[in-house]
Each structure stands twice: as C-alpha cells, then as structure tokens.
C-alpha cells in the first residue's frame, strides 16, 4: 500500500513490480528495466522477453544488451540515447528488429519511458512481437500492388468517384477520354466527361449507389465526350466501395462505339432483309390497286368521249375516276410505309402512337398473315404514346408478325389465329403482345431464341438475327421483350415500353387534306423535272392559275432562269446531271432571292446527302405523290412572300 506521502513502500513496490511482470508474461509482452549506459545494464527482465528472443531468463540476463541487435539497429538506438541525454524528448513508441537466438530477426514494437531511480537515469521498456502484424501489412501491400497492377493494365477504363468527383482514373480510362495522363482527369466532375443530356441520368444513378449501397444489376450506356470534342459511347458498370476511409463508387467503363455502329448496321441489314422477304407480298399489295388503276384509266379513256353528252355516263366516269384516285392513294400509302420502314432512320426518340406503328407493320405483313391465319385485334382505348422511334418499332412488329405467320404455316388456315394486343401495363408502361396458336417452341430451344445467329429456319430463310435485334431495339428504348411458349399451344411475345412524358401520339401517316383553292396571286412558275410526263401534267394542272414554263433538266432550268424572272420554281431534288440540290447551290451564289423561291419535290430521301440537304434548307418540300392542294398552297405562300 502507498505511504501517507503517496509513495509506495519497498515491499509494496516489489509486489507491484511482480504483478506487472506476471501480467506482461501472460500477455506475451516483454518487459525490461535498464540503467542507461554503454552498454545499458539490465536491472530487471521478465520471462516474456526471454520467450520473444528464444532464451531462458537466466541465459538472457547473461548477454549484453547490444548483442541482441545488429550493427545498424545499435547505431539507431545509441543515437536515440544521445538525443535523450541532450534533453530531447524520448520517442515513446517505435519499431526495431531484435536478433532471435536462432539467428532470425524479430520485429518488435517498443514502448519506453525514462525515469530517475536512485539518482540514475533508468529506462522501463515494453516490447511487443509484431511479426504477425508485419506479415499482414506486407501481404496487404503486396495485394494492393497486385491490384494496382491489374487495374492499371486493365483493358477497360476504371474510375473511382467520391460523390460526383473523379478521384482516380486508370490509364485506359484516361486514354478513352483523351487525357495525356490519368492525373489530368482527377478532381474533375464526372458530368464534364458526359454528354449534357446523359449527365443528369448518370448523376441520379451515382446518387442512388451512394444512398442505398446496392449495386445496379445491369450496366448503363452513356454518351461520353473526349477532351478533343469527339463523342463516344461507353457502357458503365458501377459498384459502391470504401476507398481511403470513405464511401466511393468504382466504375468500369467500356468503349462500345464500334459495337454500337455494328449493331446499327445489323439492324439496318435485318430491316432490309425483312423487306426482301416480303417483296412478293408487297408486289401483290401494290399490284391489286395498280390493276384497277390501269383498268379504270382504260375505261375512262373509252368512256370520256361518250360521256360528254350523257350525264349518266359522265357520273359513271366520275365514279370510276374516284376509284382510280383511291387505288393510286393506296399505292402511295404502301410506298410511304415501306420508306418509313426501310430507310436508314435515325434513332431519335419521341412520342410514338403504338397503335399506328403496329398497324403500319400489319399493312406490310398483310399478305404474309392474311393467307395463313385469322387476324384478331385487341386494342385498349386511350393508350398513351410510348417513348421510342416509330420506324424501329415497325421493324420489331414486322419481324414478330412474320415469325408468328410462319409458326402456323403448316396448319389449316381455318384453324389458325394470330392475335395482336395493346394494353396498359404497370405505371407509366404500355404492353404490346403478338400471339399465335402455332406449334410452340420446345423448352431446350426456347432458352436460345435470343442468341445471335441461332435459327431453326432452313438455310437462306432465316439469319438468326431477327429476335436478338428486336430485343436490342426494345431495350434501347428502356423496354423489355419476353417470349413465352408452350409446345402444341402457341407462342406469345410481349413488349413492355415506357410511356412518353408528353403522352402525345406521333403525327399521322395519312396525307393531310389541304384546300385546293387557287392562289390569290397569279405568278410565273418554272416546273423542273427530268420525267417529262410529270412536268407536263404539272403544267396542265397549274396553267389555269399561273403562267407555267417547264424544264426537264437542271441545265435547261438554269438557261430559263437566265432569260426570265420566276416567282416560284417547282424542282425535283434528284435528277441526272445537275440535281435540284446543285441548282439550289448555284442560285444561292448567283441570286439568293431566287433560291429562296424554290419548292422541292422528292420521291423519298433514301440517300443521306438528300436527307441532310432537305433538313438544312427552309424551302417548302413536297413528298411524291402529293396533292394539287398541297402544291397550290406552297406556291401561294412563296409568291405572296
């Protein structure tokens, strides 16, 4: 017990020292007290110290202190003692290596305190064997080094984000973004590396990772902008991690620009292959109305001279004329549907009327379906528009309709049914289904129907790309595509698409009926078309309201414009030699005002150059076949301006 002055009696101090030594022994801790000197004199040591160094206690006390250390360690310890003798604070905790009896080195953590005992400086030291800790640290360092080597040499870009900020980039990611060094991208917001339209979506996804700590099951696609301005498409998978003591997001990025371009080519090839498959059916669909157009024209050619003086015959001739017009409009409608389907359409997204897209595909597939099965439509009323691309959805539906028709082709058409369904799905979703009551698909085949190039059709009939491409298109619009089939019962393909924010249908496909009233102002009109019959017919149709001249080539048109000032120029875009585009470019240089008076006619912008031109000029455009009222209205606006 301590005396009244707060100090321990010698007996109590001895008991306390023995308790401390026993506690250190039990914990595997070495304890030694030394009188400062050269060499230090050991005043006390516990058996735990002997076990650390491989000695019995009596054996340990017979060895000089310096002999437990190599030369470099002795120099370090003597330097520490010298600084302490000069009054510098003694380092309370440090690491050294001691020599084991077997010659090995033992890493120790040392905790030491100096005191004055009996007027002499004395050190009391605790020693801990940190061999296990050192090995763990070395293993961790080696693991980190291997991990860094793997990450730095990874073929994919790797980035670590803390919040919206990039705190690490590997070399591949830096190269992908156009940086000279990975460090050039560190500290920048991830939004600066993405397309402005995609940055909010990425921010929401990253925020959700930090908030929930749960990784997303599927990767996300973003448009990324390199520092040189070039745009690439990247596929990013992200997981939440802990990095340098805080939450972070580890992102793996893969440049899929070339893959996306190849997919686009495959989609276009599949679309054109589908058109080729249906060529006979389309020819049949066009030939039907074309037959009564030609027969009607022959009838009118015979009857019109007789109808001049016979009102009954005149009314009959007018009725046949209306039928001829209806047949021509039917052909035009088929051609418009084909152009929408087959053109290299942009993947621009917007509100799409799913019913209109499905009906357009049904028109094209009619000959494939009509002779094989009864078609049943089951459409829910008032469906909102979906966020997609009309031409791409028509491609999907056409593929599914043809597959369904082929699935029942070996059976009696009277027993076959093909059902198309449009209905609401979950919140903000619309579902389209194509169902057949064909033979169904065996389970072992069902698992492979979405594999590229897998097909059960004969060679030359199927490519095995239809369903994979269809699913890729649907998923690109944020939708899902699933297939259910029971052998002997039939197959259902279900498409689930998100609704568009505006919930507005796309513009109608049918030609707009315009007023055919003549222009208020009579003008001088030049009609330019390399097809003489078209030019002459337009001349006859317009001459009652305008003074009309015609030219059947771009060169002839330029010569006419040199001689006469025209109030409006109706010009075909595609002509041999000098095209309508060339004529516009020439007039823009010679007389810009004349170029502004051009009204363009086009049979369809299948060539990218034509599409780009028509999109770039503000002039009126008419797509053949067009109505006289549409042309008259365009001319009226140009002349009055």
């Amino acid at each position: 017990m301590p005396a009244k002055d707060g100090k321990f009696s010698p007996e109590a101090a001895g008991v306390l020292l023995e308790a401390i030594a026993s506690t250190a022994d039990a914990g595997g801790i070495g304890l030694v007290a030394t009188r400062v000197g050269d060499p230090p004199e050991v005043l006390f040591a516990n058996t735990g110290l002997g076990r650390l160094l491989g000695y019995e206690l009596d054996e340990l006390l017979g060895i000089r202190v310096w002999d437990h250390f190599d030369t470099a360690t002795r120099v370090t310890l003597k330097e520490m003692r010298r600084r302490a003798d000069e009054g510098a604070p003694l380092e309370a905790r440090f690491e050294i290596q001691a020599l084991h009896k077997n010659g090995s080195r033992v890493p120790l953590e040392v905790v030491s305190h100096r005191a004055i005992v009996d007027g002499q400086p004395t050190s009391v030291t605790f020693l801990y064997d940190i061999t296990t800790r050192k090995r763990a640290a070395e293993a961790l360092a080696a693991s980190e080094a291997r991990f860094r080597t793997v990450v730095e040499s990874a073929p994919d870009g790797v980035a670590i984000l803390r919040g919206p900020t990039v705190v690490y980039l590997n070399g591949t990611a830096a190269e992908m973004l156009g940086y000279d060094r990975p460090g050039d991208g560190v500290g920048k917001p991830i939004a600066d590396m993405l397309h402005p339209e995609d940055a909010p979506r990425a921010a929401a996804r990253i925020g959700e990772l930090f908030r929930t700590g749960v990784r997303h099951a599927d990767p996300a696609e973003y448009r990324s902008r390199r520092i040189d301005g070039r745009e690439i498409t990247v596929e990013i998978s992200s997981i939440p991690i802990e990095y340098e003591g805080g939450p972070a997001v580890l992102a793996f990025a893969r440049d899929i620009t070339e893959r996306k371009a190849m997919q686009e080519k495959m989609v276009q090839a599949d679309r054109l292959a589908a058109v080729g498959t249906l060529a006979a059916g389309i020819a049949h669909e066009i030939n039907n109305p074309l037959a009564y157009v030609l027969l009607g024209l022959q009838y009118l050619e015979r009857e019109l001279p007789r109808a001049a003086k016979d009102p009954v015959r005149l009314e009959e001739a007018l009725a046949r004329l209306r039928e001829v017009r209806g047949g021509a409009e039917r052909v035009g409608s088929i051609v418009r549907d084909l152009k929408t389907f087959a053109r290299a359409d942009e993947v621009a997204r917007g509100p799409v009327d799913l019913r209109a897209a499905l009906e357009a595909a049904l028109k094209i597939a009619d000959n494939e379906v009509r002779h094989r099965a009864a078609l049943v439509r089951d459409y829910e009323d008032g469906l909102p528009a979906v966020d997609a691309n009309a031409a791409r959805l028509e491609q999907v539906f056409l593929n599914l309709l043809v597959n369904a028709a082929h699935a029942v082709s070996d059976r009696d058409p009277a027993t076959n049914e093909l059902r198309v369904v449009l209905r609401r799905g979950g919140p903000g979703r619309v579902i389209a289904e194509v169902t057949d009551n064909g033979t169904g698909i065996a389970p072992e085949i069902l698992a492979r129907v979405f594999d590229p190039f897998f097909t059960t059709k004969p060679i030359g009939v199927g490519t095995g790309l239809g369903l994979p491409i269809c699913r890729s298109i649907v998923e690109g619009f944020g939708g899902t595509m699933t297939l259910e089939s029971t052998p002997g019962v039939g197959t259902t393909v279900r498409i689930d698409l998100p609704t568009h924010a505006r919930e507005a249908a796309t513009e109608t496909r049918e030609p707009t009926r315009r007023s055919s009233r003549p222009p208020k102002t009579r003008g001088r009109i030049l009609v330019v078309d390399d097809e003489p019959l078209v030019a002459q017919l337009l001349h006859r149709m317009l001459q009652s309201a305008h003074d009309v001249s015609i030219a059947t080539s771009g060169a002839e048109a330029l010569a006419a414009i040199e001689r006469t000032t025209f109030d409006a120029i109706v010009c075909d875009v595609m002509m041999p030699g000098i095209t309508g585009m060339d004529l516009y470019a020439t007039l823009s240089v010679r007389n810009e005002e004349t170029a502004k008076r051009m009204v363009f006619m086009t049979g369809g912008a299948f060539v990218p150059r034509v599409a780009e031109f028509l999109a770039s000029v503000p002039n009126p455009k008419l797509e053949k076949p067009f109505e006289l009222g549409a042309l008259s209205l365009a001319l009226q606006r140009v002349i009055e301006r």
Side-chain angles (χ1 to χ4, degrees), residues 287-303:
N287 282 337
N288 277 339
L290 189 59
Y292 62 75
V293 166
L294 293 175
L295 290 173
L297 290 175
Q298 294 173 31
Y299 171 83
L300 290 172
E301 185 179 21
R302 185 191 68 191
E303 290 296 314

Side-chain angles (χ1 to χ4, degrees), residues 309-575:
K309 299 178 181 180
D310 187 341
V312 175
R313 285 194 172 188
L314 180 59
E315 181 59 34
E316 178 68 18
L318 291 175
R320 298 290 77 74
L321 184 60
R322 286 189 290 270
E323 289 179 358
V324 168
R325 174 171 175 160
E329 289 179 348
R330 169 62 182 150
V331 172
S333 174
I334 293 171
V335 172
R336 275 193 300 274
D337 289 333
L338 274 177
K339 285 190 294 186
T340 300
F341 177 82
R343 67 174 180 258
D345 196 274
E346 298 177 353
V347 289
R349 290 165 62 167
V352 175
D353 183 346
L354 207 56
R355 181 170 181 164
L358 182 52
E359 284 296 321
L362 283 167
K363 285 182 186 177
I364 300 176
D366 181 67
N367 195 57
E368 288 283 328
V369 173
R370 178 159 34 99
H371 302 298
R372 290 185 169 95
L375 177 65
V376 178
R377 292 174 170 88
D378 183 3
Y379 299 160
E380 183 178 329
D381 293 332
L383 290 176
V386 297
D387 184 24
N389 175 276
R392 291 294 170 84
L393 285 185
E394 289 173 25
Q395 176 178 356
V396 170
F397 287 137
L398 180 58
N399 197 298
L400 300 184
L401 291 167
V402 172
N403 283 352
H406 289 174
V408 298
S409 60
D410 294 335
R411 298 169 34 156
D412 182 1
T415 65
N416 296 339
E417 179 181 282
L418 195 158
R419 178 179 294 269
V420 289
V421 177
L422 295 177
R423 58 182 175 86
R424 294 178 187 272
R429 313 289 292 190
V430 177
I431 291 176
E433 294 176 340
V434 177
T435 301
D436 66 72
N437 64 343
T439 55
I441 303 173
E444 62 273 15
I445 295 177
L446 186 63
R448 300 186 60 194
V449 293
F450 289 112
D451 292 348
F453 303 107
F454 175 77
T455 179
T456 59
K457 296 178 180 179
I459 296 175
V461 176
T463 64
L465 292 175
L467 284 177
I469 287 176
C470 287
R471 186 168 69 170
S472 175
I473 292 172
V474 171
E475 290 178 347
F477 298 141
T480 60
M481 180 174 174
T482 56
L483 190 148
E484 300 172 359
S485 187
T486 303
V489 177
T491 302
T492 295
V493 181
R494 183 174 297 109
I495 296 171
D496 186 330
L497 289 165
T499 59
H500 192 273
R502 296 202 305 269
E503 294 192 355
T506 53
E507 63 186 65
T508 178
R509 294 175 167 274
E510 296 302 322
T512 303
R513 301 289 179 182
R514 301 182 184 272
S515 170
S516 59
R517 58 186 174 86
K520 298 177 182 178
T521 305
R522 188 175 184 86
R524 288 187 299 275
I525 308 298
L526 176 63
V527 174
V528 186
D529 198 305
D530 62 303
E531 179 57 60
L533 291 177
V534 174
Q536 292 166 9
L537 182 58
L538 288 175
H539 180 278
R540 287 194 293 270
M541 295 173 68
L542 295 173
Q543 64 182 356
S544 62
H546 300 287
D547 299 325
V548 183
S549 301
I550 63 174
T552 56
S553 69
E556 188 178 340
L558 280 174
I561 293 169
E562 288 291 333
R563 297 190 302 269
T564 307
T565 300
F566 293 97
D567 298 306
I569 302 169
V570 182
C571 183
D572 192 19
V573 175
M574 293 301 293
M575 297 183 294

Side-chain angles (χ1 to χ4, degrees), residues 94-425:
F94 56 92
E95 293 182 8
I96 60 172
Q97 285 191 346
L99 298 176
H100 195 275
K101 182 179 179 180
N102 62 14
S104 64
R105 298 176 187 272
V106 182
L108 300 172
E109 183 178 66
V110 177
V111 180
S112 184
H113 178 72
R114 178 177 285 196
I116 302 298
V117 179
D118 293 335
Q120 297 292 327
T122 303
S123 292
V124 178
T125 304
F126 288 89
L127 300 101
Y128 304 86
D129 186 347
I130 58 173
T131 302
T132 302
R133 191 174 78 189
K134 293 288 285 185
R135 287 174 179 170
E138 291 170 358
L140 178 61
S143 176
E144 290 177 347
R146 287 193 297 270
F147 174 76
R148 183 170 291 274
T149 300
V150 170
V151 169
E152 290 296 337
S153 59
D156 290 344
V158 179
I160 298 177
L161 308 177
R162 177 155 287 126
T165 305
V166 176
V167 295
Y168 171 81
L169 285 178
N170 74 341
T172 304
E175 182 180 356
M176 192 181 298
L177 294 167
Y179 293 112
D180 294 330
R181 295 174 298 276
D184 294 344
V186 172
K188 297 182 183 296
I190 188 65
D192 291 354
M193 304 174 185
L194 298 174
H195 191 285
E197 294 178 2
D198 291 353
R201 181 163 55 91
R205 189 175 171 96
I206 293 169
E208 184 179 354
L209 281 172
F210 277 107
R211 186 173 61 256
T212 65
V214 179
R215 67 176 297 175
H216 295 103
D218 300 315
E221 286 186 13
Y222 301 102
R223 290 166 293 174
S224 180
R225 286 186 171 174
R226 291 166 46 89
I227 58 174
D228 59 10
R230 184 163 62 87
E231 186 175 295
I232 61 174
T233 303
V234 293
E235 183 180 75
I236 297 181
S237 299
S238 305
I239 57 173
I241 63 168
E242 184 174 320
Y243 179 71
E244 295 183 347
V249 167
L250 176 64
F252 298 90
R254 177 169 296 178
D255 186 346
I256 60 170
T257 307
E258 292 185 4
R259 189 178 83 188
K260 291 290 287 185
M262 181 60 66
Q263 287 177 345
E264 291 299 319
K265 291 179 181 178
M266 290 174 66
V267 168
Q268 180 65 9
D270 182 73
R271 181 187 295 121
L272 295 177
V275 171
T277 302
L278 295 169
I282 296 302
H284 181 273
E285 288 300 297
I286 290 179
N287 282 337
N288 277 339
L290 189 59
Y292 62 75
V293 166
L294 293 175
L295 290 173
L297 290 175
Q298 294 173 31
Y299 171 83
L300 290 172
E301 185 179 21
R302 185 191 68 191
E303 290 296 314
L304 281 177
R306 305 174 186 176
K309 299 178 181 180
D310 187 341
V312 175
R313 285 194 172 188
L314 180 59
E315 181 59 34
E316 178 68 18
L318 291 175
R320 298 290 77 74
L321 184 60
R322 286 189 290 270
E323 289 179 358
V324 168
R325 174 171 175 160
E329 289 179 348
R330 169 62 182 150
V331 172
S333 174
I334 293 171
V335 172
R336 275 193 300 274
D337 289 333
L338 274 177
K339 285 190 294 186
T340 300
F341 177 82
R343 67 174 180 258
D345 196 274
E346 298 177 353
V347 289
R349 290 165 62 167
V352 175
D353 183 346
L354 207 56
R355 181 170 181 164
L358 182 52
E359 284 296 321
L362 283 167
K363 285 182 186 177
I364 300 176
D366 181 67
N367 195 57
E368 288 283 328
V369 173
R370 178 159 34 99
H371 302 298
R372 290 185 169 95
L375 177 65
V376 178
R377 292 174 170 88
D378 183 3
Y379 299 160
E380 183 178 329
D381 293 332
L383 290 176
V386 297
D387 184 24
N389 175 276
R392 291 294 170 84
L393 285 185
E394 289 173 25
Q395 176 178 356
V396 170
F397 287 137
L398 180 58
N399 197 298
L400 300 184
L401 291 167
V402 172
N403 283 352
H406 289 174
V408 298
S409 60
D410 294 335
R411 298 169 34 156
D412 182 1
T415 65
N416 296 339
E417 179 181 282
L418 195 158
R419 178 179 294 269
V420 289
V421 177
L422 295 177
R423 58 182 175 86
R424 294 178 187 272

